[in-house]
Amino acid sequence: MADPVLDEGALALTDPPVAILLAGGRGSRLFELTDRTCKPALPFVRRRRIVDFTMENIARAGLRKVIVASQFRAEPLETHLHSAWGRRFGSAGLAFRRGSDLAGAALRYGGTADAVWKNAAEIDALSAREVMILSADHVYEMDYGPMIAAHRASGAKITVAATVVNRYDARGFGVIGAAPGGQITDFTEKPDVPRTLPGDPDHALASMGIYLCDWVWLRRMLAQDALSDRSSHDFGHDILPLAVQQGVAFAYAWDSHRGGAAFWRDVGTLDALRETWLQFEAGPAPCGLPAPDLDQVVVPVSRFGMSTTVSGLRLFAPLHSRPGQPGWGVMEDSVLMEGARLSPGCRLTRAIIAPGVTLPEGLVVGEDPAEDRRWFRVTPGGTTLVTTQMLSRRAARMPRGQRGIGRGLFQMAVS
């Protein structure tokens, strides 16, 4: 087949790195949303998936070879990548290496480092000079070219992309201490008390989970790590601290993109997913939207699917309203995922409605936390997740006349 079709703006890299896309995790902090699919394959903003952001960055950087290391509920992810990105990378550009989520499987990934190590033969076959290890579940737009150039100029064995975050948020990331020239002098994975920036006690330098590594060096490190019974076989916990001890780890501080502030979000919690999604719907998108081949992606979108609101109230006139029904639905700071449907009289506040859910008439979500917790999942941050299974349990236990909580409180005629 002909060479992959790449963006005109792709970097003319000499001997580009091989990209390793880590997409094997379940995304347990998203709870029921990832019961049937892995986190990278979840819908996100206007027919896209979370993984599309990283795939767009890979394509624009001119990285022509991508090994996708998937594991949990991998089928929806692989189907999407084939259909949405296959033409841009060509038949040889995407290689899928699935670790089974069955305990007795011959190939099972036990950590991020283990996922790369178990694909060492495939990386060797590509004659890789460097490997770029990327997470498939972050939302951002980044030009990898300057990072690659900085890595090659520094002589580092591993370069870590880093960005400044609030010190409270830093507890969820690997936190970096670096010398003025970029050499990493200290690294702690998810510390209880994060190390803050010099002269700035409110912020810390956090790892973005993007690593560019010399393959010969990394292969040796991974081989040693695989033999250790005490290792968790993870980059943040095991490989990077050793690299810091060796003095071969450097940080690439990423703080701007196309002249504006850099935007990067880990959408690994329900609160982060909802809040980040709303940022894209509030007005100008905080970063560029990826451009998968949407003509090849079949997404069920209902009358109200993929709709959100950010400030104030947004009213919806449901289809097929009958006399005597409340004629409007209302959403505030909420996300309807693909195929979700509002019925007449629904009121949603700070909610995520899972794909394919049809809300019953008059349902109120987000106004009574105690009532919501009886049936749905409510986070400490105030996000309420509603799934079809939750609604089914609620319908089975609640008298029929009470299934639409709050119907009598919201009666408006269709104008």
Side-chain angles (χ1 to χ4, degrees), residues 182-202:
Q183 183 175 357
I184 298 176
T185 57
D186 180 77
F187 180 85
T188 308
E189 184 72 8
K190 298 181 179 178
D192 292 331
V193 182
R195 174 192 183 121
T196 57
L197 294 172
D200 185 354
D202 296 325

Side-chain angles (χ1 to χ4, degrees), residues 47-59:
R47 299 180 63 191
R48 291 164 176 84
R49 308 278 167 169
I50 294 173
V51 70
D52 291 335
F53 287 85
T54 301
M55 289 302 297
E56 182 70 36
N57 294 333
I58 291 171

Side-chain angles (χ1 to χ4, degrees), residues 97-409:
R97 292 283 294 164
R98 186 188 304 181
S100 174
D101 49 9
L102 301 177
L107 180 64
R108 176 176 170 80
Y109 302 140
T112 54
D114 186 56
V116 178
W117 172 240
K118 286 180 176 172
N119 287 293
E122 285 67 28
I123 299 170
D124 288 340
L126 296 173
S127 302
R129 169 186 172 183
E130 299 140 338
V131 292
M132 192 157 202
I133 300 158
L134 302 162
S135 296
D137 53 10
H138 294 163
V139 173
Y140 67 114
E141 180 188 14
M142 181 179 181
D143 181 356
Y144 299 141
M147 179 178 174
I148 295 169
H151 172 82
R152 293 177 176 178
S154 71
K157 298 302 182 183
I158 179 170
T159 296
V160 183
T163 193
V164 174
V165 300
N166 183 286
R167 69 184 176 97
Y168 297 106
D169 296 333
R171 290 176 293 185
F173 304 107
V175 176
I176 295 170
Q183 183 175 357
I184 298 176
T185 57
D186 180 77
F187 180 85
T188 308
E189 184 72 8
K190 298 181 179 178
D192 292 331
V193 182
R195 174 192 183 121
T196 57
L197 294 172
D200 185 354
D202 296 325
H203 295 89
L205 189 62
S207 167
M208 297 169 60
I210 298 172
Y211 311 111
L212 182 58
C213 306
D214 175 87
W215 175 235
V216 173
W217 171 85
L218 180 60
R219 197 186 199 288
R220 182 171 63 251
M221 295 288 288
L222 293 175
Q224 295 171 359
D225 178 76
L227 297 174
S228 174
D229 293 334
R230 294 181 295 177
S231 174
S232 59
H233 311 301
D234 179 80
F235 271 93
H237 284 104
D238 306 296
I239 302 301
L240 194 49
L242 287 176
V244 172
Q245 292 178 19
Q246 295 176 10
V248 297
F250 280 68
Y252 173 76
W254 185 61
D255 57 9
S256 65
H257 182 75
R258 297 185 182 179
F263 179 87
W264 172 80
R265 295 290 186 274
D266 180 345
V267 290
T269 67
L270 293 171
D271 292 318
L273 179 68
R274 182 182 62 84
E275 291 164 5
T276 303
W277 193 319
L278 293 176
Q279 284 185 272
F280 281 84
E281 301 287 0
C287 73
L289 285 170
D293 192 348
L294 293 176
D295 289 341
Q296 303 300 314
V297 178
V298 178
V299 177
V301 181
S302 75
R303 168 66 176 81
F304 303 103
M306 309 297 283
S307 297
T308 59
T309 183
V310 177
S311 59
L313 300 178
R314 180 175 294 179
L315 301 178
F316 296 94
L319 299 178
H320 311 304
S321 295
R322 298 190 301 273
Q325 288 182 319
W328 289 88
V330 65
M331 287 176 57
E332 184 175 8
D333 297 335
S334 298
V335 168
L336 290 179
M337 300 183 82
E338 63 182 31
R341 183 183 294 273
L342 283 174
S343 293
C346 288
R347 298 205 310 273
L348 308 178
T349 304
R350 297 171 63 85
I352 296 176
I353 309 303
V357 170
T358 297
L359 298 179
E361 295 175 12
L363 180 68
V364 176
V365 175
E367 298 179 14
D368 184 342
E371 179 66 20
D372 288 340
R373 289 189 185 95
R374 290 182 62 194
W375 316 111
F376 313 125
R377 182 173 295 280
V378 182
T379 71
T383 296
T384 302
L385 173 65
V386 179
T387 69
T388 297
Q389 291 74 21
M390 294 173 188
L391 288 172
S392 296
R393 289 194 298 270
R394 176 178 175 274
R397 296 177 60 184
M398 179 172 283
R400 183 175 182 84
Q402 299 179 18
R403 293 176 188 176
I405 299 174
R407 286 185 61 187
L409 301 177

Side-chain angles (χ1 to χ4, degrees), residues 22-28 34 37-41 69-74 77 109 112 136-137:
L22 299 179
R26 173 172 183 166
S28 58
T34 54
T37 189
C38 59
K39 179 166 64 169
S70 59
Q71 183 159 282
F72 177 81
R73 298 289 192 264
L77 173 68
Y109 302 140
T112 54
D137 53 10

